[in-house]
Amino acid sequence: MGQWRGPDGILVEAIILDDRPLLRVSCRVNGRTYLRGYCATVAELGEHGVDLAALVEDTQLDHL
């Protein structure tokens, strides 16, 4: 699965929830992570304050 990071602590993760592929949007604030919501499509990310142009793929997963 993939992860993308954006400004202001935004994290978008591709996950499987109840056998459905979803994008989980969370935000890190003052050392805590808060869930913003789930999206079924990339188009829905804007509803959670995500700017697609600002996302950068998180390559830390390659080292696991």
Side-chain angles (χ1 to χ4, degrees):
M1 296 285 142
Q3 285 189 340
W4 298 267
R5 295 193 183 274
D8 302 323
I10 293 289
L11 175 63
V12 177
E13 300 171 280
I15 64 165
I16 302 294
L17 184 64
D18 293 332
D19 293 327
R20 291 181 24 197
L22 294 172
L23 296 168
R24 177 173 50 207
V25 181
S26 57
C27 183
R28 192 155 180 87
V29 178
N30 295 328
R32 292 183 180 241
T33 302
Y34 297 93
L35 177 66
R36 283 198 170 184
Y38 296 98
C39 301
T41 66
V42 172
E44 294 175 17
L45 288 173
E47 297 173 16
H48 296 284
V50 176
D51 178 8
L52 292 178
L55 291 179
V56 176
E57 188 171 11
D58 188 350
T59 58
Q60 292 179 356
L61 292 176
D62 297 337
H63 302 290
L64 295 179

